[in-house]
Amino acid sequence: MSTARPVDGLEQRLRRLGADRYHHRHPFNLRMHEGLLSPDELRTWILNRFHYQRHIPVKDALILSKLGTRELRQSWIRRIHDHDGVPGEDGRPAQDGGIERWLRLGEAAGLQRGLLMSGEGVLPAVRLAVDGYVNFCRNATVLEAVASSLTELFAPDLMTTRIAAWERHYPWVEPEGLRYFQMRVGQGRRDAEEALALVERWTRGRRADENLALEAVAFKCDVLWSLLDAVERAGEKAAEHARGPSDAV
Amino acid sequence: MSTARPVDGLEQRLRRLGADRYHHRHPFNLRMHEGLLSPDELRTWILNRFHYQRHIPVKDALILSKLGTRELRQSWIRRIHDHDGVPGEDGRPAQDGGIERWLRLGEAAGLQRGLLMSGEGVLPAVRLAVDGYVNFCRNATVLEAVASSLTELFAPDLMTTRIAAWERHYPWVEPEGLRYFQMRVGQGRRDAEEALALVERWTRGRRADENLALEAVAFKCDVLWSLLDAVERAGEKAAEHARGPSDAV
């Protein structure tokens, strides 16, 4: 009787990586969901995360340009519409996208959309993290670029936790503002399924290719984690400043 | 009374460039429209031009990734659907795209779609021309990448000439095959208007920027011209081969 442990499949390995490195474990997210953020901290996060949100269609257009068949592109292009929205046409009403919903989240939390659109106040480390992600999608192979989207496997659970936490702890944020998170539960599940099927088709159980996919997801986890590191540090600096000059010179 | 010649605007300069360098003047296109191509020459053109056609959504996705607002992307993304088509959804019927119509053009001329999809028989110089165009859209500024699409200013007239010429001279091509050209008359006009408005907005009469746009269009004319050079040369080679060994060693 063999006692050898069966080799884990790609999805198991991805889920283990996510459990370890996805930003649901970041201290800033933990504090957010425990209700411990001040309104200013929450707004700093919304403003900086918007810089990430507005670049999602850019990275998806770069991935689109790497997909070699119209069938693959016909499916992936939906992600761009999901974030940019679709103008009304031929009697069909306009559809808001994720960027519009994020602007409304900002307004619901007291941030003017003009400020978010201006990019003012975006932290340098956040710009670098987002640039890094976009450039990864620009320069990596199609396998790695698509795999980097697989953090969506873990996003719906985070969104569900977040919606409940915000309703409970931050009632001053108008409920309409949570629409972005609500929409992403379903969209994220569908996007994750699509990307996982592609990555499984392209790797076909070859360990070396699976490792490339896992490294891409690890990189993406680092992007998300770095963004929160920067926002967290900005909050600490602001708190230090508010306390006034310390003993240290 | 001043006798100084008024300085030409961007559109006038573009139209002069097109009159001079757009591939409607290429000897192969002239022979096509005069009805002088053999069925094999026509099929060689269809097969090689398909290699260009199938890369249009790729270059448009690259341009999409350079557009900085959702409004600009919401408009440009239509070009990708125009070529890739849209699968049926929510009770709406599927829409064929330009790639599908080009495959039907091939079938109408006796080329199996499997052959076109395989890429077999695409001439090296055609691959290089198409690579060059895609890489231009990847690496150039958004102004230059969008401007390179402005050959669409001249395409509708060429399509109109082509439809009449094919109906008259190549009746063995089934009429359904001409649908691609018919669709492009309207699509090309709309696309040219959109791109010209963007380029005018971005250059605002600054001569140096207008020159960059004109150089991009000149480059694109070279791409289209090179493609026909390669197809023409392949036909000459085939004819030489058919005539048998010549005196020259």
Side-chain angles (χ1 to χ4, degrees), chain A residues 54 57-58 61-62 64-65 67 69-70 73-74 77 80-81 83-87 92 95 99-100 103 113 117 138, chain B residues 54 57-58 61-62 64-65 67 69-70 73-74 77 80-81 83-87 92 95 99-100 103 113 117 138:
Chain A
R54 76 195 310 182
V58 173
L62 289 165
L64 197 66
S65 78
L67 294 171
T69 71
R70 52 193 163 143
R73 290 189 300 264
Q74 280 175 348
I77 202 169
I80 300 176
H81 292 302
H83 285 273
D84 278 340
V86 183
R92 273 179 286 136
Q95 290 170 41
I99 292 177
E100 177 59 29
L103 288 166
R113 67 170 53 213
M117 290 302 293
R138 192 190 318 274
Chain B
R54 76 195 311 182
V58 174
L62 290 166
L64 197 66
S65 77
L67 294 171
T69 71
R70 54 192 161 143
R73 290 190 299 265
Q74 280 174 348
I77 202 168
I80 300 175
H81 292 302
H83 285 273
D84 278 341
V86 182
R92 273 177 288 137
Q95 290 170 43
I99 292 177
E100 177 59 30
L103 288 166
R113 67 171 53 214
M117 290 303 293
R138 190 189 320 272

CSV table of all heavy atoms in Angstrom, one decimal, chain A residues 54 57-58 61-62 64-65 67 69-70 73-74 77 80-81 83-87 92 95 99-100 103 113 117 138, chain B residues 54 57-58 61-62 64-65 67 69-70 73-74 77 80-81 83-87 92 95 99-100 103 113 117 138:
chain,number,residue,atom,x,y,z
A,54,ARG,N,-8.8,52.2,-12.0
A,54,ARG,CA,-8.9,52.9,-13.3
A,54,ARG,C,-7.9,52.3,-14.3
A,54,ARG,O,-8.0,52.6,-15.5
A,54,ARG,CB,-8.7,54.4,-13.2
A,54,ARG,CG,-7.3,54.8,-12.9
A,54,ARG,CD,-7.2,56.2,-12.5
A,54,ARG,NE,-7.9,57.2,-13.3
A,54,ARG,CZ,-7.9,58.5,-13.0
A,54,ARG,NH1,-7.2,59.0,-12.1
A,54,ARG,NH2,-8.6,59.3,-13.8
A,57,PRO,N,-9.0,48.3,-16.9
A,57,PRO,CA,-9.2,48.2,-18.4
A,57,PRO,C,-7.9,48.3,-19.2
A,57,PRO,O,-7.9,47.7,-20.3
A,57,PRO,CB,-10.2,49.3,-18.7
A,57,PRO,CG,-10.7,49.8,-17.4
A,57,PRO,CD,-9.7,49.5,-16.4
A,58,VAL,N,-7.0,49.0,-18.7
A,58,VAL,CA,-5.7,49.1,-19.5
A,58,VAL,C,-5.0,47.7,-19.5
A,58,VAL,O,-4.6,47.2,-20.5
A,58,VAL,CB,-4.8,50.2,-18.8
A,58,VAL,CG1,-3.4,50.2,-19.5
A,58,VAL,CG2,-5.5,51.6,-18.9
A,61,ALA,N,-6.9,45.4,-21.7
A,61,ALA,CA,-6.6,45.6,-23.1
A,61,ALA,C,-5.3,45.0,-23.5
A,61,ALA,O,-5.2,44.4,-24.6
A,61,ALA,CB,-6.7,47.1,-23.4
A,62,LEU,N,-4.3,45.1,-22.7
A,62,LEU,CA,-3.0,44.5,-23.0
A,62,LEU,C,-3.1,43.0,-23.0
A,62,LEU,O,-2.5,42.3,-23.9
A,62,LEU,CB,-2.0,44.9,-21.9
A,62,LEU,CG,-1.6,46.4,-22.0
A,62,LEU,CD1,-0.8,46.8,-20.8
A,62,LEU,CD2,-0.7,46.6,-23.3
A,64,LEU,N,-5.9,41.4,-23.8
A,64,LEU,CA,-6.6,41.2,-25.0
A,64,LEU,C,-5.7,41.1,-26.2
A,64,LEU,O,-5.9,40.2,-27.1
A,64,LEU,CB,-7.6,42.3,-25.1
A,64,LEU,CG,-8.8,42.1,-26.1
A,64,LEU,CD1,-9.8,41.0,-25.6
A,64,LEU,CD2,-9.6,43.4,-26.3
A,65,SER,N,-4.7,42.0,-26.3
A,65,SER,CA,-3.8,42.0,-27.4
A,65,SER,C,-3.0,40.8,-27.5
A,65,SER,O,-2.4,40.5,-28.6
A,65,SER,CB,-3.0,43.3,-27.4
A,65,SER,OG,-1.9,43.1,-26.4
A,67,LEU,N,-4.2,37.6,-26.8
A,67,LEU,CA,-5.1,36.5,-27.1
A,67,LEU,C,-5.2,36.2,-28.6
A,67,LEU,O,-5.5,37.1,-29.3
A,67,LEU,CB,-6.5,36.7,-26.4
A,67,LEU,CG,-6.4,36.8,-24.9
A,67,LEU,CD1,-7.8,37.2,-24.4
A,67,LEU,CD2,-6.0,35.4,-24.3
A,69,THR,N,-7.0,34.3,-30.6
A,69,THR,CA,-8.2,33.9,-31.4
A,69,THR,C,-9.4,34.9,-31.1
A,69,THR,O,-9.4,35.4,-29.9
A,69,THR,CB,-8.7,32.5,-31.2
A,69,THR,OG1,-9.3,32.4,-29.8
A,69,THR,CG2,-7.6,31.5,-31.3
A,70,ARG,N,-10.3,35.0,-32.0
A,70,ARG,CA,-11.4,35.9,-31.8
A,70,ARG,C,-12.3,35.4,-30.7
A,70,ARG,O,-12.9,36.1,-29.9
A,70,ARG,CB,-12.2,36.2,-33.0
A,70,ARG,CG,-12.7,35.0,-33.8
A,70,ARG,CD,-13.2,35.3,-35.2
A,70,ARG,NE,-13.2,34.0,-35.9
A,70,ARG,CZ,-14.1,33.7,-36.8
A,70,ARG,NH1,-15.1,34.5,-37.1
A,70,ARG,NH2,-14.0,32.5,-37.4
A,73,ARG,N,-10.8,36.5,-27.4
A,73,ARG,CA,-11.0,37.9,-27.2
A,73,ARG,C,-12.5,38.3,-27.0
A,73,ARG,O,-12.8,39.1,-26.1
A,73,ARG,CB,-10.5,38.7,-28.5
A,73,ARG,CG,-9.0,38.6,-28.6
A,73,ARG,CD,-8.5,39.6,-29.7
A,73,ARG,NE,-9.0,39.3,-31.0
A,73,ARG,CZ,-8.3,38.5,-31.9
A,73,ARG,NH1,-7.1,38.0,-31.6
A,73,ARG,NH2,-8.9,38.3,-33.1
A,74,GLN,N,-13.4,37.6,-27.7
A,74,GLN,CA,-14.8,37.9,-27.5
A,74,GLN,C,-15.2,37.7,-26.0
A,74,GLN,O,-16.2,38.3,-25.6
A,74,GLN,CB,-15.7,36.9,-28.4
A,74,GLN,CG,-15.8,37.3,-29.8
A,74,GLN,CD,-16.5,36.3,-30.6
A,74,GLN,OE1,-16.7,35.2,-30.2
A,74,GLN,NE2,-16.9,36.7,-31.8
A,77,ILE,N,-13.0,40.5,-23.6
A,77,ILE,CA,-13.3,41.9,-23.8
A,77,ILE,C,-14.4,42.3,-22.8
A,77,ILE,O,-14.5,43.5,-22.5
A,77,ILE,CB,-13.7,42.1,-25.2
A,77,ILE,CG1,-13.5,43.6,-25.6
A,77,ILE,CG2,-15.1,41.6,-25.5
A,77,ILE,CD1,-13.6,43.9,-27.1
A,80,ILE,N,-13.4,44.5,-19.9
A,80,ILE,CA,-13.2,46.0,-20.2
A,80,ILE,C,-14.6,46.7,-20.1
A,80,ILE,O,-14.7,47.8,-19.5
A,80,ILE,CB,-12.5,46.2,-21.6
A,80,ILE,CG1,-11.2,45.5,-21.6
A,80,ILE,CG2,-12.4,47.7,-21.9
A,80,ILE,CD1,-10.4,45.5,-22.9
A,81,HIS,N,-15.6,46.1,-20.7
A,81,HIS,CA,-16.9,46.7,-20.5
A,81,HIS,C,-17.4,46.8,-19.1
A,81,HIS,O,-18.0,47.7,-18.6
A,81,HIS,CB,-18.0,46.0,-21.4
A,81,HIS,CG,-17.8,46.1,-22.9
A,81,HIS,ND1,-17.7,47.3,-23.5
A,81,HIS,CD2,-17.6,45.2,-23.8
A,81,HIS,CE1,-17.6,47.1,-24.8
A,81,HIS,NE2,-17.4,45.8,-25.0
A,83,HIS,N,-15.7,47.3,-16.5
A,83,HIS,CA,-15.1,48.4,-15.7
A,83,HIS,C,-15.4,49.8,-16.4
A,83,HIS,O,-15.6,50.8,-15.7
A,83,HIS,CB,-13.6,48.2,-15.5
A,83,HIS,CG,-13.4,47.1,-14.5
A,83,HIS,ND1,-13.3,47.4,-13.1
A,83,HIS,CD2,-13.3,45.8,-14.5
A,83,HIS,CE1,-13.2,46.3,-12.4
A,83,HIS,NE2,-13.1,45.3,-13.3
A,84,ASP,N,-15.3,49.8,-17.7
A,84,ASP,CA,-15.5,51.1,-18.4
A,84,ASP,C,-17.0,51.5,-18.5
A,84,ASP,O,-17.4,52.6,-18.7
A,84,ASP,CB,-14.9,51.1,-19.8
A,84,ASP,CG,-13.4,51.4,-19.8
A,84,ASP,OD1,-13.0,51.9,-18.7
A,84,ASP,OD2,-12.7,51.0,-20.7
A,85,GLY,N,-17.9,50.5,-18.5
A,85,GLY,CA,-19.3,50.7,-18.8
A,85,GLY,C,-19.6,50.7,-20.3
A,85,GLY,O,-18.6,50.7,-21.1
A,86,VAL,N,-20.8,50.8,-20.7
A,86,VAL,CA,-21.2,50.8,-22.1
A,86,VAL,C,-22.2,51.9,-22.3
A,86,VAL,O,-23.2,52.0,-21.6
A,86,VAL,CB,-21.9,49.4,-22.4
A,86,VAL,CG1,-22.3,49.4,-23.9
A,86,VAL,CG2,-21.1,48.2,-22.0
A,87,PRO,N,-21.9,52.8,-23.3
A,87,PRO,CA,-22.8,53.9,-23.5
A,87,PRO,C,-24.2,53.4,-24.1
A,87,PRO,O,-24.2,52.3,-24.8
A,87,PRO,CB,-22.1,54.8,-24.6
A,87,PRO,CG,-20.9,54.0,-25.0
A,87,PRO,CD,-20.8,52.7,-24.2
A,92,ARG,N,-30.9,50.5,-26.3
A,92,ARG,CA,-30.5,49.9,-25.1
A,92,ARG,C,-29.9,51.0,-24.1
A,92,ARG,O,-29.2,51.9,-24.6
A,92,ARG,CB,-29.3,48.9,-25.3
A,92,ARG,CG,-29.9,47.5,-25.7
A,92,ARG,CD,-28.8,46.5,-26.0
A,92,ARG,NE,-28.2,46.8,-27.3
A,92,ARG,CZ,-26.9,46.8,-27.6
A,92,ARG,NH1,-26.0,46.6,-26.6
A,92,ARG,NH2,-26.4,47.1,-28.8
A,95,GLN,N,-24.9,51.3,-19.6
A,95,GLN,CA,-24.6,50.5,-18.4
A,95,GLN,C,-23.4,51.1,-17.7
A,95,GLN,O,-22.3,51.3,-18.3
A,95,GLN,CB,-24.2,49.1,-18.8
A,95,GLN,CG,-25.4,48.2,-19.4
A,95,GLN,CD,-24.9,46.9,-20.0
A,95,GLN,OE1,-24.0,46.3,-19.4
A,95,GLN,NE2,-25.4,46.6,-21.1
A,99,ILE,N,-15.7,51.5,-12.8
A,99,ILE,CA,-15.0,52.8,-12.6
A,99,ILE,C,-16.1,53.8,-12.0
A,99,ILE,O,-15.8,54.5,-11.1
A,99,ILE,CB,-14.3,53.4,-13.8
A,99,ILE,CG1,-13.1,52.4,-14.1
A,99,ILE,CG2,-13.9,54.8,-13.6
A,99,ILE,CD1,-12.3,52.8,-15.4
A,100,GLU,N,-17.2,53.9,-12.7
A,100,GLU,CA,-18.3,54.7,-12.3
A,100,GLU,C,-18.8,54.3,-10.8
A,100,GLU,O,-19.0,55.2,-10.0
A,100,GLU,CB,-19.5,54.7,-13.2
A,100,GLU,CG,-20.7,55.5,-12.9
A,100,GLU,CD,-20.4,57.0,-12.7
A,100,GLU,OE1,-19.5,57.5,-13.4
A,100,GLU,OE2,-21.1,57.6,-11.9
A,103,LEU,N,-16.3,55.6,-8.3
A,103,LEU,CA,-16.5,57.1,-8.1
A,103,LEU,C,-17.6,57.3,-7.2
A,103,LEU,O,-17.6,58.2,-6.3
A,103,LEU,CB,-16.7,57.8,-9.5
A,103,LEU,CG,-15.5,57.8,-10.4
A,103,LEU,CD1,-15.9,58.3,-11.8
A,103,LEU,CD2,-14.4,58.8,-9.8
A,113,ARG,N,-15.8,63.4,-6.9
A,113,ARG,CA,-15.3,62.6,-8.0
A,113,ARG,C,-14.2,63.4,-8.8
A,113,ARG,O,-13.3,62.7,-9.3
A,113,ARG,CB,-16.4,62.2,-9.0
A,113,ARG,CG,-17.1,63.2,-9.7
A,113,ARG,CD,-18.0,62.6,-10.8
A,113,ARG,NE,-18.9,61.6,-10.2
A,113,ARG,CZ,-19.3,60.5,-10.9
A,113,ARG,NH1,-19.0,60.3,-12.1
A,113,ARG,NH2,-20.1,59.7,-10.3
A,117,MET,N,-10.7,61.7,-10.0
A,117,MET,CA,-10.3,61.8,-11.4
A,117,MET,C,-9.0,62.5,-11.6
A,117,MET,O,-8.2,62.1,-12.5
A,117,MET,CB,-11.4,62.5,-12.2
A,117,MET,CG,-12.7,61.7,-12.4
A,117,MET,SD,-12.5,60.1,-13.1
A,117,MET,CE,-12.0,60.5,-14.8
A,138,ARG,N,1.8,43.8,-19.8
A,138,ARG,CA,2.3,44.2,-21.0
A,138,ARG,C,3.4,43.3,-21.5
A,138,ARG,O,3.5,42.9,-22.7
A,138,ARG,CB,2.9,45.6,-20.9
A,138,ARG,CG,3.2,46.3,-22.3
A,138,ARG,CD,4.0,47.6,-22.1
A,138,ARG,NE,3.5,48.5,-21.0
A,138,ARG,CZ,2.5,49.4,-21.1
A,138,ARG,NH1,1.9,49.6,-22.3
A,138,ARG,NH2,2.2,50.1,-20.1
B,54,ARG,N,-6.6,39.6,-39.6
B,54,ARG,CA,-6.7,38.9,-38.3
B,54,ARG,C,-5.9,39.6,-37.2
B,54,ARG,O,-6.1,39.3,-36.0
B,54,ARG,CB,-6.4,37.4,-38.4
B,54,ARG,CG,-4.9,37.2,-38.4
B,54,ARG,CD,-4.5,35.8,-38.9
B,54,ARG,NE,-5.2,34.7,-38.2
B,54,ARG,CZ,-5.0,33.4,-38.4
B,54,ARG,NH1,-4.1,33.0,-39.3
B,54,ARG,NH2,-5.7,32.5,-37.7
B,57,PRO,N,-7.7,43.4,-34.7
B,57,PRO,CA,-8.1,43.5,-33.3
B,57,PRO,C,-7.0,43.5,-32.3
B,57,PRO,O,-7.1,44.1,-31.2
B,57,PRO,CB,-9.0,42.2,-33.0
B,57,PRO,CG,-9.3,41.7,-34.4
B,57,PRO,CD,-8.2,42.1,-35.3
B,58,VAL,N,-5.8,42.9,-32.7
B,58,VAL,CA,-4.7,43.0,-31.8
B,58,VAL,C,-4.1,44.4,-31.7
B,58,VAL,O,-3.9,44.9,-30.6
B,58,VAL,CB,-3.6,42.0,-32.3
B,58,VAL,CG1,-2.3,42.2,-31.5
B,58,VAL,CG2,-4.1,40.6,-32.3
B,61,ALA,N,-6.5,46.5,-29.7
B,61,ALA,CA,-6.4,46.3,-28.3
B,61,ALA,C,-5.2,47.1,-27.7
B,61,ALA,O,-5.2,47.6,-26.6
B,61,ALA,CB,-6.3,44.8,-28.0
B,62,LEU,N,-4.1,47.1,-28.5
B,62,LEU,CA,-2.9,47.9,-28.1
B,62,LEU,C,-3.2,49.4,-28.0
B,62,LEU,O,-2.8,50.1,-27.1
B,62,LEU,CB,-1.7,47.6,-29.0
B,62,LEU,CG,-1.2,46.1,-28.8
B,62,LEU,CD1,-0.3,45.8,-30.0
B,62,LEU,CD2,-0.4,46.0,-27.5
B,64,LEU,N,-6.2,50.6,-27.6
B,64,LEU,CA,-7.1,50.7,-26.5
B,64,LEU,C,-6.4,50.9,-25.1
B,64,LEU,O,-6.8,51.7,-24.3
B,64,LEU,CB,-8.0,49.5,-26.4
B,64,LEU,CG,-9.3,49.5,-25.6
B,64,LEU,CD1,-10.3,50.5,-26.2
B,64,LEU,CD2,-9.9,48.1,-25.5
B,65,SER,N,-5.3,50.1,-25.0
B,65,SER,CA,-4.5,50.2,-23.7
B,65,SER,C,-3.8,51.5,-23.5
B,65,SER,O,-3.4,51.8,-22.4
B,65,SER,CB,-3.5,49.0,-23.7
B,65,SER,OG,-2.4,49.3,-24.5
B,67,LEU,N,-5.3,54.5,-24.4
B,67,LEU,CA,-6.4,55.5,-24.3
B,67,LEU,C,-6.6,55.8,-22.8
B,67,LEU,O,-7.0,54.8,-22.1
B,67,LEU,CB,-7.6,55.2,-25.0
B,67,LEU,CG,-7.4,55.1,-26.6
B,67,LEU,CD1,-8.6,54.5,-27.3
B,67,LEU,CD2,-7.1,56.5,-27.2
B,69,THR,N,-8.9,57.5,-21.0
B,69,THR,CA,-10.2,57.7,-20.3
B,69,THR,C,-11.2,56.6,-20.8
B,69,THR,O,-11.1,56.0,-21.9
B,69,THR,CB,-10.9,59.0,-20.6
B,69,THR,OG1,-11.3,59.0,-22.0
B,69,THR,CG2,-9.9,60.2,-20.4
B,70,ARG,N,-12.2,56.3,-19.9
B,70,ARG,CA,-13.2,55.3,-20.3
B,70,ARG,C,-14.0,55.8,-21.5
B,70,ARG,O,-14.4,55.0,-22.3
B,70,ARG,CB,-14.1,54.9,-19.1
B,70,ARG,CG,-14.8,56.1,-18.5
B,70,ARG,CD,-15.4,55.7,-17.1
B,70,ARG,NE,-15.6,57.0,-16.4
B,70,ARG,CZ,-16.7,57.2,-15.6
B,70,ARG,NH1,-17.6,56.3,-15.4
B,70,ARG,NH2,-16.8,58.4,-15.0
B,73,ARG,N,-12.1,54.9,-24.5
B,73,ARG,CA,-12.1,53.4,-24.7
B,73,ARG,C,-13.4,52.9,-25.1
B,73,ARG,O,-13.5,52.0,-26.0
B,73,ARG,CB,-11.6,52.7,-23.4
B,73,ARG,CG,-10.1,52.9,-23.1
B,73,ARG,CD,-9.6,52.1,-22.0
B,73,ARG,NE,-10.3,52.3,-20.8
B,73,ARG,CZ,-9.9,53.1,-19.8
B,73,ARG,NH1,-8.7,53.8,-19.9
B,73,ARG,NH2,-10.6,53.3,-18.7
B,74,GLN,N,-14.5,53.5,-24.5
B,74,GLN,CA,-15.9,53.0,-24.9
B,74,GLN,C,-16.1,53.2,-26.4
B,74,GLN,O,-16.9,52.4,-27.0
B,74,GLN,CB,-16.9,53.9,-24.1
B,74,GLN,CG,-17.1,53.4,-22.7
B,74,GLN,CD,-18.1,54.4,-22.0
B,74,GLN,OE1,-18.4,55.5,-22.4
B,74,GLN,NE2,-18.5,54.0,-20.8
B,77,ILE,N,-13.3,50.7,-28.6
B,77,ILE,CA,-13.5,49.2,-28.4
B,77,ILE,C,-14.4,48.6,-29.5
B,77,ILE,O,-14.4,47.5,-29.8
B,77,ILE,CB,-14.0,48.9,-27.0
B,77,ILE,CG1,-13.7,47.5,-26.6
B,77,ILE,CG2,-15.5,49.3,-26.8
B,77,ILE,CD1,-13.9,47.2,-25.1
B,80,ILE,N,-12.9,46.6,-32.2
B,80,ILE,CA,-12.5,45.2,-31.9
B,80,ILE,C,-13.8,44.3,-32.2
B,80,ILE,O,-13.7,43.3,-32.8
B,80,ILE,CB,-12.0,45.1,-30.5
B,80,ILE,CG1,-10.7,45.9,-30.3
B,80,ILE,CG2,-11.7,43.6,-30.1
B,80,ILE,CD1,-10.1,46.0,-28.9
B,81,HIS,N,-14.9,44.8,-31.7
B,81,HIS,CA,-16.1,44.0,-32.0
B,81,HIS,C,-16.4,43.9,-33.5
B,81,HIS,O,-16.9,42.9,-34.0
B,81,HIS,CB,-17.3,44.6,-31.3
B,81,HIS,CG,-17.3,44.5,-29.8
B,81,HIS,ND1,-17.2,43.3,-29.1
B,81,HIS,CD2,-17.3,45.5,-28.8
B,81,HIS,CE1,-17.2,43.5,-27.8
B,81,HIS,NE2,-17.2,44.8,-27.6
B,83,HIS,N,-14.4,43.6,-35.8
B,83,HIS,CA,-13.6,42.6,-36.5
B,83,HIS,C,-13.8,41.2,-35.9
B,83,HIS,O,-13.8,40.2,-36.6
B,83,HIS,CB,-12.2,43.0,-36.6
B,83,HIS,CG,-12.0,44.1,-37.6
B,83,HIS,ND1,-11.7,43.8,-38.9
B,83,HIS,CD2,-12.0,45.4,-37.5
B,83,HIS,CE1,-11.6,44.9,-39.6
B,83,HIS,NE2,-11.8,45.9,-38.8
B,84,ASP,N,-13.9,41.1,-34.6
B,84,ASP,CA,-14.0,39.8,-33.9
B,84,ASP,C,-15.5,39.3,-33.9
B,84,ASP,O,-15.7,38.1,-33.8
B,84,ASP,CB,-13.6,39.9,-32.4
B,84,ASP,CG,-12.0,39.8,-32.3
B,84,ASP,OD1,-11.4,39.3,-33.3
B,84,ASP,OD2,-11.5,40.2,-31.3
B,85,GLY,N,-16.4,40.2,-34.0
B,85,GLY,CA,-17.8,39.8,-33.9
B,85,GLY,C,-18.2,39.7,-32.4
B,85,GLY,O,-17.4,39.8,-31.5
B,86,VAL,N,-19.5,39.5,-32.2
B,86,VAL,CA,-20.1,39.5,-30.9
B,86,VAL,C,-20.9,38.2,-30.7
B,86,VAL,O,-21.8,38.0,-31.6
B,86,VAL,CB,-21.0,40.7,-30.6
B,86,VAL,CG1,-21.5,40.7,-29.2
B,86,VAL,CG2,-20.2,42.0,-30.9
B,87,PRO,N,-20.6,37.4,-29.7
B,87,PRO,CA,-21.5,36.2,-29.6
B,87,PRO,C,-22.9,36.5,-29.1
B,87,PRO,O,-23.1,37.6,-28.5
B,87,PRO,CB,-20.7,35.4,-28.5
B,87,PRO,CG,-19.7,36.3,-27.9
B,87,PRO,CD,-19.7,37.6,-28.7
B,92,ARG,N,-30.1,38.5,-27.7
B,92,ARG,CA,-29.6,39.2,-28.9
B,92,ARG,C,-28.9,38.2,-29.8
B,92,ARG,O,-28.1,37.4,-29.2
B,92,ARG,CB,-28.7,40.4,-28.5
B,92,ARG,CG,-29.4,41.7,-28.3
B,92,ARG,CD,-28.5,42.8,-27.8
B,92,ARG,NE,-28.0,42.6,-26.5
B,92,ARG,CZ,-26.7,42.7,-26.1
B,92,ARG,NH1,-25.8,43.1,-26.9
B,92,ARG,NH2,-26.4,42.5,-24.8
B,95,GLN,N,-23.4,38.5,-33.7
B,95,GLN,CA,-23.0,39.4,-34.9
B,95,GLN,C,-21.7,38.9,-35.4
B,95,GLN,O,-20.7,38.8,-34.7
B,95,GLN,CB,-22.9,40.8,-34.4
B,95,GLN,CG,-24.2,41.5,-34.1
B,95,GLN,CD,-23.9,42.9,-33.4
B,95,GLN,OE1,-23.1,43.6,-33.9
B,95,GLN,NE2,-24.6,43.1,-32.3
B,99,ILE,N,-13.5,39.4,-39.5
B,99,ILE,CA,-12.7,38.2,-39.7
B,99,ILE,C,-13.5,37.1,-40.3
B,99,ILE,O,-13.1,36.5,-41.2
B,99,ILE,CB,-12.0,37.8,-38.3
B,99,ILE,CG1,-11.0,38.9,-37.9
B,99,ILE,CG2,-11.4,36.4,-38.5
B,99,ILE,CD1,-10.4,38.6,-36.6
B,100,GLU,N,-14.8,37.0,-39.8
B,100,GLU,CA,-15.7,36.0,-40.3
B,100,GLU,C,-16.0,36.3,-41.8
B,100,GLU,O,-16.0,35.4,-42.6
B,100,GLU,CB,-16.9,35.9,-39.5
B,100,GLU,CG,-18.0,34.9,-40.0
B,100,GLU,CD,-17.5,33.5,-40.0
B,100,GLU,OE1,-16.6,33.1,-39.2
B,100,GLU,OE2,-18.0,32.8,-40.9
B,103,LEU,N,-13.2,35.4,-44.0
B,103,LEU,CA,-13.1,33.9,-44.2
B,103,LEU,C,-14.2,33.5,-45.3
B,103,LEU,O,-13.9,32.6,-46.1
B,103,LEU,CB,-13.4,33.2,-42.9
B,103,LEU,CG,-12.3,33.2,-41.9
B,103,LEU,CD1,-12.8,32.8,-40.5
B,103,LEU,CD2,-11.1,32.4,-42.3
B,113,ARG,N,-11.6,27.7,-45.3
B,113,ARG,CA,-11.3,28.5,-44.1
B,113,ARG,C,-10.2,27.9,-43.3
B,113,ARG,O,-9.5,28.6,-42.6
B,113,ARG,CB,-12.6,28.8,-43.3
B,113,ARG,CG,-13.2,27.7,-42.6
B,113,ARG,CD,-14.3,28.2,-41.7
B,113,ARG,NE,-15.3,29.1,-42.4
B,113,ARG,CZ,-15.9,30.1,-41.8
B,113,ARG,NH1,-15.6,30.4,-40.5
B,113,ARG,NH2,-16.7,30.9,-42.4
B,117,MET,N,-7.1,29.9,-41.7
B,117,MET,CA,-6.9,29.9,-40.3
B,117,MET,C,-5.5,29.4,-40.0
B,117,MET,O,-4.9,29.8,-39.0
B,117,MET,CB,-7.9,29.1,-39.6
B,117,MET,CG,-9.4,29.7,-39.6
B,117,MET,SD,-9.4,31.3,-38.8
B,117,MET,CE,-9.1,31.0,-37.1
B,138,ARG,N,2.1,49.1,-30.7
B,138,ARG,CA,2.5,48.8,-29.4
B,138,ARG,C,3.5,49.8,-28.8
B,138,ARG,O,3.3,50.2,-27.7
B,138,ARG,CB,3.2,47.4,-29.4
B,138,ARG,CG,3.5,46.8,-28.1
B,138,ARG,CD,4.5,45.6,-28.2
B,138,ARG,NE,4.2,44.7,-29.3
B,138,ARG,CZ,3.3,43.7,-29.3
B,138,ARG,NH1,2.7,43.4,-28.2
B,138,ARG,NH2,3.1,42.9,-30.3
